[in-house]
């Protein structure tokens, strides 16, 4: 771009620079976007140059967007401003680069774009070419500009060309026959309809002659390169690439492999299908094959990347296929479908939501305009899909029949090294019962629900915390058959769970943290990944599976799973109910492996003792996690389902694998506090996170007795105060203590904080004092705990009634309460929330994860505790 803008000239009278063409088109008006559908670049250049010359003669500002690999349409020094946006930077960045120039140039500017077909080549997507035009053309119209675009004839899929045709004011077909150039208007908005019926021959100078007789018209069109009726099935840019790769793959099947060509096509297709992350690409190259990628394409709806969750599932299965083939043979097969990320982009573009979504990248206003009747979420839930996409969804429904499936988020940023996005986006079960029309409506509603979750406050705040607001997030989908046995009213797998290759909660010295841990439930895995405040799960340390946090059968029975999630095929919804009632009459349910009785006439409790002690389940899970950990060179987390066959054998359905977001496995080993040190608190029994020594300089203490006396509304109010205190952490090392379960959905079982309300805390203590029978919910693998581990936040429980546990509340309350200074509007909660700031260095927290004990000591000076200075 090297030419300063020219002063505007009054009386804007745009022209093509060819008076004869202006007459054919009944004139060119401000706001017109003119798309030339060309056979060759020379034909486009022949139209661009007189247009540019006329603009410069009128002293109009002319901007040339130069981005394609083809020769330039206008030369440097011609008088036009030349800008060089970079489509190689990605769709989102390219849109921003182009639109920033358009906005800076303002109204009544003239523009020329390189041939847009190069964008499809660079992005490997016809649809994204159409999406770019859909975003750009209306803004140029609003600014009363006149703009030239070129696009190659018969090159692009109907999805792209239909979008361009619907959006532009002019679409003109340009072709040669017998060395003469012809122009045939396809769309001439707000002009004489008669123009649509005529072909014009460009003769000498600027004369355009209409072709009126049918014989000549037929001859011209027959020689125009028209592709024939099969053009209705014209293959997309993507499909052409995959067909070429399929030809190479066929050589191997025929016994004559071309390894160099296979490597070329694998690299190209992997870049098209999967997020461009170094760790993931390394795994893909090592474990997947070209045939794997072709198999993915065969089950795709739309195009684009298939996201992190789908990639993790495919990689994990491929790792086991190569490194543990016997175990891989015992996996339950999957027949998943993938919805490409460009279905998401196109949905937002075509429903007028693209710019709403872009505004959510602004750190100062990313939560604005999301809710309410006209908010983004409501508009997403009412959005429409292109007909071609709906037809693909219908074909998938026909494949599944009435078998239940789940629509799972699989975004570009999800399940990456460093950012798990665990629980940030929705996944929606489709029970899939009823007429085809009803089932399609439910499926489309589920897809919209997942799309809407990308703009939820929870997801946006997560992205803000992780420095990802400015990243271009795209939502792909993984649609999976629900694992289970058909035949009854209730549908579910026999069991499901979460496995971690590193155990952050070694509750017994015999437990090897590096051996891994499993959190197991009966029924759907929702109770393993979402915190269930009304129930418990089975925790299995894989090197010592017989060990339990509970010490006797009475405790085991009290803390056994009692409720189960399942799909109710009659009511067409997911339900929760007592385990015994939901499995009653299910002949296939492996009760002998899953339940234990204290005596012959006693009720059965879910312990999974038979599965653990009499099958190879524990050994298989340990091997599975070890293989994946080694392949990823990083701790991993998996989700799985399990079904027991009539012959007693079991099948594991590996549903998900992602890098476990743990910052350290070893932690600090020397964590013994000085023997003579005064203690503010001591805890034994539940320390989650690597060992460490930290120096808290602020304590936020929710007094159990005072909190326990509050009604529900007041408990929620106190929770929001804690969130405001969290926001005022000001870089301090904060120790936060409170009664019951942190993150509980039930205020009567704990403190219902969101993670964003405690994310600046260094250590979080659960005081088990609200109910005598309530033990800390060691929710390994749940989304809430995953966020604690990802943030390297220490979590521990304190049992005031058990030996080795104590808290000196009186000492804590002797420090002045700073709540009124930090939050004057919340000072009336001073009797419930104590905010203390001891002298610098006064407190030291020693957390010994291996020994499952923790202490907070108070420094003394001249034999006096520093706490007394504030009394």
């Amino acid at each position: 771009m090297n030419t300063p803008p020219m002063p505007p000239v009054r009386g804007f009278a745009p022209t093509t620079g060819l008076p004869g063409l202006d007459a054919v088109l009944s004139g060119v008006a401000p706001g017109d976007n003119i798309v030339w559908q060309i056979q060759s670049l020379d034909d486009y250049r022949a139209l661009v140059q007189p247009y540019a010359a006329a603009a410069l003669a009128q002293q109009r500002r002319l901007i040339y967007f130069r981005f394609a690999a083809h020769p330039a349409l206008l030369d440097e020094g011609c008088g036009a401003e030349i800008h060089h946006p970079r489509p190689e930077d990605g769709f989102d960045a390219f849109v921003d680069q182009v639109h920033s120039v358009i906005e800076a140039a303002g109204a009544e500017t003239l523009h020329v774009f390189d041939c847009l077909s190069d964008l499809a080549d660079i992005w490997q997507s016809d649809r994204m070419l159409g999406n770019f035009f859909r975003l750009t053309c209306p803004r140029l119209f609003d600014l009363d500009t006149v703009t030239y675009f070129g696009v190659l004839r018969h090159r692009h899929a109907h999805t792209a060309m239909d979008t361009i045709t619907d959006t532009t004011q002019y679409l003109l077909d340009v072709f040669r026959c017998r060395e003469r150039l012809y122009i045939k208007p396809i769309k001439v908005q707000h002009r004489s309809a008669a123009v649509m019926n005529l072909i014009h021959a460009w003769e000498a100078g600027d004369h355009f002659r209409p072709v009126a007789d049918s014989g000549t018209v037929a001859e011209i069109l027959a020689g125009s390169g028209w592709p024939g009726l099969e053009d209705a099935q014209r293959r997309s840019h993507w499909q052409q690439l995959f067909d070429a790769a399929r030809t190479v793959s066929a050589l191997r099947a025929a016994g004559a492999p071309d390894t160099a060509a296979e490597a070329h096509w694998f690299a190209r297709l992997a870049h098209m299908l999967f997020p461009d992350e170094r760790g993931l690409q390394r795994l893909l190259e090592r474990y997947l094959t070209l045939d794997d990628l072709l198999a993915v394409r065969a089950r795709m709806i739309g195009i684009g990347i298939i996201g992190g969750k789908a990639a993790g599932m495919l990689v994990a299965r491929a790792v086991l296929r190569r490194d543990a083939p016997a175990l891989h043979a015992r996996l339950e097969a999957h027949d998943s479908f993938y919805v490409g990320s460009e279905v998401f982009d196109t949905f937002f573009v075509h429903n007028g939501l693209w710019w709403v979504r872009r505004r959510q990248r602004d750190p100062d206003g990313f939560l604005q305009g999301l809710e309410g009747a006209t908010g983004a979420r409501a508009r997403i839930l009412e959005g429409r899909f292109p007909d071609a996409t709906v037809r693909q969804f219908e074909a998938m429904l026909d494949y599944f029949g009435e078998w239940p499936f789940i629509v799972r988020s699989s975004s570009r940023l999800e399940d990456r090294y460093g950012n798990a996005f665990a629980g940030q986006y929705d996944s929606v079960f489709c029970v899939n019962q009823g007429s085809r029309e009803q089932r399609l409506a439910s499926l489309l509603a589920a897809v919209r629900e997942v799309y809407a979750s990308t703009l939820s406050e929870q997801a946006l705040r997560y992205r803000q915390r992780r420095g990802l607001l400015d990243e271009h997030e795209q939502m792909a989908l993984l649609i999976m058959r629900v694992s289970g046995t058909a035949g009854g009213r209730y549908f579910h797998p026999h069991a499901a769970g979460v496995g971690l290759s590193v155990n952050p909660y070694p509750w017994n010295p015999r437990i090897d943290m590096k051996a891994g841990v499993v959190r197991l439930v009966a029924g759907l895995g929702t109770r393993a990944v979402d915190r269930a405040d009304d129930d418990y799960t089975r925790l299995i340390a894989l090197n010592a599976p017989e060990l339990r946090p509970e010490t006797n059968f009475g405790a085991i029975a009290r803390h056994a799973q009692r409720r189960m999630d399942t799909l109710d095929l009659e009511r067409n919804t997911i339900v929760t109910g007592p385990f015994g009632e939901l499995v009653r009459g299910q002949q296939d349910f492996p009760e002998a492996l899953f339940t234990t009785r204290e005596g012959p006439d006693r009720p059965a409790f879910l312990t999974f003792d038979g599965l653990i002690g009499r099958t190879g389940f524990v050994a298989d899970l340990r091997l599975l996690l070890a293989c994946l950990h080694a392949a990823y060179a990083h701790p991993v987390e998996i989700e799985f389902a399990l079904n027991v066959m009539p012959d007693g054998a079991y099948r594991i359905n590996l549903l998900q694998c992602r890098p476990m977001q743990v910052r350290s496995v070893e932690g600090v080993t020397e964590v013994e506090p000085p023997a003579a040190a005064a203690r503010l608190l001591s805890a034994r029994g539940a320390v989650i996170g690597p060992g460490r020594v930290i120096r808290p300089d602020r304590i936020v203490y929710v007094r159990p007795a005072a909190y326990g006396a509050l009604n529900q509304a007041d408990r929620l109010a106190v929770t929001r105060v804690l969130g405001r205190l969290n926001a005022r952490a000001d870089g301090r090392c904060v120790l936060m203590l409170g009664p019951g379960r942190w993150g509980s959905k039930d205020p009567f079982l704990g403190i219902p904080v969101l993670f964003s309300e405690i994310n600046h805390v260094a250590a979080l203590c659960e005081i088990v004092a609200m109910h005598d029978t309530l033990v800390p919910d060691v929710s390994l693998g749940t989304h809430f705990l995953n966020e604690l581990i990802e943030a390297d936040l220490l979590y521990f429980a304190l049992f005031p009634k058990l030996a080795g546990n104590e808290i000196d509340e009186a000492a804590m309350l002797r420090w002045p309460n700073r709540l009124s200074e930090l939050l004057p509007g919340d000072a009336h909660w001073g009797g419930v929330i104590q905010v203390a700031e001891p002298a610098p260095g006064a407190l030291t927290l020693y957390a010994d994860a291996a020994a499952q004990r923790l202490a907070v000591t108070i420094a003394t000076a001249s034999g006096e505790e520093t706490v007394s200075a504030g009394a």
Side-chain angles (χ1 to χ4, degrees):
M1 77 164 241
N2 311 318
T3 307
M6 289 178 285
V9 177
R10 293 186 180 182
F12 186 29
T15 173
T16 64
L18 299 166
L21 183 57
D22 287 348
V24 169
L25 301 179
S26 301
V28 178
D32 280 345
N33 292 275
I34 303 174
V35 178
W36 301 99
Q37 194 168 250
I38 58 175
Q39 282 181 313
S40 75
L41 190 71
D42 289 340
D43 296 342
Y44 186 34
R45 184 184 290 110
L47 293 158
V48 165
Q49 290 185 345
Y51 165 72
L56 296 171
Q58 292 181 343
Q59 294 186 304
R60 281 289 164 191
R61 186 175 185 181
L62 176 65
I63 291 176
Y64 171 31
F65 288 104
R66 177 79 178 105
F67 53 82
H70 63 61
L73 301 170
L74 299 172
D75 296 329
E76 295 280 351
C78 70
E81 297 178 32
I82 303 179
H83 293 260
H84 297 271
R86 289 177 47 82
E88 298 85 356
D89 293 343
F91 176 82
D92 202 43
F94 184 75
V95 170
D96 286 348
Q97 293 163 18
V98 170
H99 280 247
S100 65
V101 175
I102 292 171
E103 296 299 330
E108 298 188 352
T109 302
L110 305 183
H111 301 276
V112 173
F113 281 76
D114 272 346
C115 181
L116 298 182
S117 295
D118 272 39
L119 297 178
D121 293 335
I122 293 169
W123 294 332
Q124 300 177 340
S125 168
D126 294 322
R127 175 157 276 171
M128 294 310 286
L129 161 62
N131 286 344
F132 169 73
F133 193 84
R134 179 71 172 259
L135 292 172
T136 305
C137 174
R139 187 54 184 153
L140 293 167
F141 176 82
D142 291 342
L143 291 171
D144 285 336
T145 72
V146 175
T147 306
Y148 269 29
F149 301 91
V151 63
L152 292 174
R153 301 176 78 222
H154 309 321
R155 170 71 68 87
H156 304 291
H158 287 293
T159 51
M161 291 310 303
D162 288 350
T163 297
I164 290 172
T165 303
D166 291 344
T167 309
T168 190
Q169 285 73 50
Y170 279 107
L171 177 62
L172 300 130
D173 199 16
V174 182
F175 56 90
R176 288 187 180 273
C177 180
R178 297 180 180 177
E179 302 304 319
R180 176 167 287 175
L181 197 65
Y182 292 89
I183 293 177
K184 179 180 182 294
I186 297 173
K187 180 181 181 182
V188 207
Q189 189 172 20
H190 308 310
R191 304 299 196 273
S192 170
V195 177
M196 296 285 288
N197 300 321
L198 295 176
I199 297 173
H200 289 76
W202 189 358
E203 298 186 333
D206 66 356
H207 179 62
F208 287 80
R209 176 179 59 83
V211 180
D213 67 282
S214 60
T216 306
V217 170
E219 182 183 352
I220 291 170
L221 290 179
S224 69
W226 182 62
L229 288 175
E230 291 187 6
D231 183 52
Q233 302 298 324
R234 185 163 69 233
R235 296 176 302 154
S236 71
H237 187 86
W238 256 56
Q239 197 57 44
Q240 293 173 39
L241 295 176
F242 276 88
D243 285 348
R246 195 169 284 108
T247 301
V248 172
S249 176
L251 296 176
R252 176 173 292 278
D258 183 341
T259 54
E262 286 184 24
H264 164 78
W265 281 108
F266 181 91
R268 188 166 185 181
L269 300 189
H271 179 74
M272 294 165 62
L273 286 171
F274 298 103
D276 188 17
E277 185 203 14
R278 176 182 295 182
L280 174 60
Q281 291 292 329
R282 175 183 62 82
L283 289 166
L284 295 171
E285 182 178 347
R286 184 176 180 189
Y287 288 102
L288 265 63
T289 67
L290 181 58
D291 284 344
D292 291 329
L293 306 192
L294 295 173
V296 168
R297 173 61 186 146
R299 306 187 70 81
M300 279 189 72
I301 293 168
I303 63 173
I305 62 169
I306 63 172
K309 189 172 291 179
M313 182 272 291
L314 292 169
V315 165
R317 287 173 172 267
V319 168
L320 298 180
R321 179 178 63 193
R322 201 194 78 171
D323 295 347
L327 178 57
H328 180 265
R330 296 197 295 277
L331 292 183
E332 184 175 315
H334 85 95
D335 57 353
S336 306
F337 286 84
Y338 315 91
V339 181
S341 59
E342 290 182 10
V343 176
F344 172 77
D345 282 337
T346 301
F347 178 87
F348 272 76
V349 171
H350 283 246
N351 287 286
L353 289 157
W354 177 270
W355 298 114
V356 175
R357 180 165 156 259
R358 286 288 285 107
R359 286 197 293 274
Q360 265 57 63
R361 293 168 63 176
D362 177 5
D364 296 324
F366 67 95
L367 294 179
Q368 296 176 6
L370 297 180
E371 300 299 333
T374 60
R377 178 177 173 82
R379 292 170 62 189
I380 292 170
L381 296 179
E382 295 173 357
R384 296 177 61 85
F385 293 90
D387 290 343
T389 301
V390 173
R391 286 194 295 271
Q392 288 189 292
F393 278 131
E394 288 173 335
M396 185 195 73
L397 280 180
D398 292 341
Y399 173 89
F400 277 133
E402 293 196 33
W403 195 282
F405 57 84
I406 182 171
V407 179
R408 308 188 73 191
S409 67
S410 182
S411 83
R412 173 177 169 267
L413 300 178
E414 204 169 354
D415 286 8
R416 297 170 65 172
Y417 286 89
N419 299 295
F421 278 79
Q424 303 307 315
Y425 298 138
D426 289 345
S427 292
V428 182
F429 281 102
C430 289
V431 186
N432 197 30
Q433 307 296 296
S435 69
R436 191 170 186 260
E437 292 74 18
Q438 290 171 325
R439 293 185 292 117
L440 177 63
S442 296
L443 166 60
L444 297 181
V447 173
R448 294 187 194 100
E449 188 74 31
V450 179
Y451 283 178
S453 69
T454 63
L455 295 185
S456 70
E457 179 177 347
Q458 172 180 288
L460 290 170
R461 287 195 181 280
Y462 180 92
R463 288 176 60 188
Q464 180 198 38
R465 293 195 301 272
R466 310 299 295 176
L468 298 172
L469 265 185
D470 199 44
E471 288 272 354
H472 178 45
E473 176 66 305
Q474 296 172 292
M475 179 57 72
L477 302 172
L478 172 62
I479 301 182
M480 307 185 79
R481 182 187 297 273
V482 177
S483 184
T485 303
R489 173 177 177 175
Y490 299 112
F491 187 92
H492 51 82
H494 291 149
V498 174
L500 312 179
S501 67
V502 171
N503 184 353
Y505 175 44
W507 62 86
N508 186 293
R510 290 171 50 197
I511 292 174
D512 179 2
M513 293 180 68
K514 297 179 181 178
V517 63
V518 166
R519 190 169 191 250
L520 193 64
V521 298
L524 295 174
T526 44
R527 294 201 152 235
V529 298
D530 297 322
R531 191 166 187 166
D533 292 319
D534 59 350
D535 214 351
Y536 299 92
T537 64
R538 177 66 198 267
L539 214 55
I540 306 168
L542 293 178
N543 78 301
E546 74 283 359
L547 294 177
R548 299 185 59 128
E550 304 88 3
T551 57
N552 58 62
F553 189 83
I556 291 170
R558 284 196 303 274
H559 304 133
Q561 178 186 353
R562 284 177 166 78
R563 299 177 66 78
M564 189 177 86
D565 292 349
T566 185
L567 301 179
D568 187 334
L569 302 186
E570 291 184 7
R571 294 171 55 193
N572 210 16
T573 188
I574 184 172
V575 298
T576 299
F579 155 75
E581 293 182 12
L582 294 178
V583 302
R584 185 177 298 130
Q586 293 187 7
Q587 299 300 318
D588 66 293
F589 191 83
E591 186 173 352
L593 289 177
F594 283 18
T595 64
T596 304
R597 300 175 186 270
E598 192 173 16
D601 298 324
R602 306 293 292 172
F605 293 98
L606 274 168
T607 62
F608 301 100
D609 285 348
L611 179 70
I612 293 166
R614 302 199 302 272
T615 75
F617 170 74
V618 169
D620 280 349
L621 263 292
R622 187 172 182 181
L623 173 62
L624 188 154
L625 288 166
C627 284
L628 296 177
H629 187 133
Y632 276 74
H634 193 279
V636 297
E637 173 189 350
I638 66 166
E639 293 180 19
F640 65 92
L642 179 140
N643 290 291
V644 180
M645 303 296 103
D647 62 1
Y650 57 82
R651 292 285 182 270
I652 296 170
N653 193 346
L654 184 54
L655 304 173
Q656 183 175 348
C657 178
R658 61 178 164 221
M660 182 179 168
Q661 310 307 318
V662 56
R663 299 190 184 184
S664 169
V665 176
E666 302 294 345
V668 177
T669 55
E670 298 296 329
V671 291
E672 188 68 31
R679 305 264 179 127
L680 181 67
L681 66 85
S682 298
R684 294 183 67 90
V687 177
I688 300 175
R692 68 195 71 188
V693 177
I694 59 176
R695 298 188 181 278
D697 50 16
R698 177 180 289 172
I699 297 174
V700 177
Y701 175 53
V702 181
R703 301 173 67 176
Y707 184 81
L710 300 177
N711 60 33
Q712 178 170 317
D714 286 345
R715 292 185 185 197
L716 292 172
V718 166
T719 302
R720 302 290 86 82
V721 175
L722 297 177
R724 291 190 283 274
L725 285 170
N726 174 71
R728 294 289 307 275
D730 302 324
R732 289 181 173 272
C733 181
V734 178
L735 167 62
M736 189 174 285
L737 309 94
R741 297 176 177 176
W742 288 94
S744 170
K745 296 177 183 178
D746 185 347
F748 288 97
L749 292 178
I751 302 177
V753 290
L754 303 173
F755 183 76
S756 60
E757 294 175 307
I758 55 171
N759 64 303
H760 296 305
V761 172
L764 191 66
C765 175
E766 175 178 313
I767 303 173
V768 187
M770 295 188 71
H771 302 280
D772 289 341
T773 60
L774 185 66
V775 301
D777 181 30
V778 185
S779 305
L780 300 182
T782 64
H783 299 319
F784 181 79
L785 196 75
N786 282 349
E787 290 210 72
L788 302 185
I789 295 173
E790 188 173 7
D792 201 28
L793 193 160
L794 183 71
Y795 189 86
F796 66 98
L798 188 147
F799 303 80
K801 296 183 179 181
L802 298 182
N805 291 263
E806 58 184 356
I807 181 169
D808 190 344
E809 183 179 77
M812 201 141 16
L813 297 178
R814 283 200 292 271
W815 279 298
N817 191 342
R818 293 206 58 217
L819 178 63
S820 60
E821 299 173 46
L822 294 170
L823 300 174
D826 295 316
H828 58 288
W829 293 113
V832 180
I833 302 172
Q834 168 80 359
V835 182
E837 293 185 356
L843 300 181
T844 305
L845 183 151
Y846 299 86
D848 187 339
Q852 285 293 286
R853 61 189 180 194
L854 180 143
V856 177
T857 64
I858 308 174
T860 58
S862 303
E864 296 293 330
E865 294 182 0
T866 55
V867 66
S868 62

